[in-house]
Amino acid sequence: MKPKEKHWYALYTKPRWEKKIAGILTEMGIENYCPLNRVEKQWTDRRKVILEPLFRSYVFVKVTDKEKWALK
């Protein structure tokens, strides 16, 4: 692999932090992918459509080998 070449990696996150981590990575200028799934949840008093991550506890990032160690 070339040092400046970017590759996709799976970044493990705390449970239920996927969207927050994706937002932080976007602010840092790091290309990321967190696919979301529309799910309709029903409680006793209401229904609501929410966005859940497709892969729980994972965010995908495209970084160089040098940048990947800075994400720890």
Side-chain angles (χ1 to χ4, degrees):
M1 289 190 293
K2 299 175 186 172
K4 297 289 182 178
E5 195 173 319
K6 290 189 175 187
H7 297 281
W8 285 100
Y9 296 97
L11 184 67
Y12 185 76
T13 66
K14 287 172 58 174
R16 301 175 59 97
W17 275 57
E18 302 89 355
K19 290 190 277 186
K20 185 177 288 191
I21 296 296
I24 291 169
L25 290 169
T26 301
E27 287 177 7
M28 292 173 60
I30 297 174
E31 185 177 354
N32 64 77
Y33 179 63
C34 182
L36 301 175
N37 193 17
R38 291 180 95 90
V39 179
E40 185 174 308
K41 297 281 186 170
Q42 182 173 351
W43 290 268
T44 56
D45 60 340
R46 68 185 185 281
R47 286 182 157 186
K48 188 174 182 181
V49 175
I50 60 171
L51 296 174
E52 286 185 346
L54 190 59
F55 303 105
R56 293 179 186 246
S57 297
Y58 286 97
V59 176
F60 300 96
V61 294
K62 188 173 185 179
V63 292
T64 63
D65 286 336
K66 189 175 182 178
E67 292 174 327
K68 99 175 153 179
W69 298 113
L71 294 176
K72 279 190 166 186

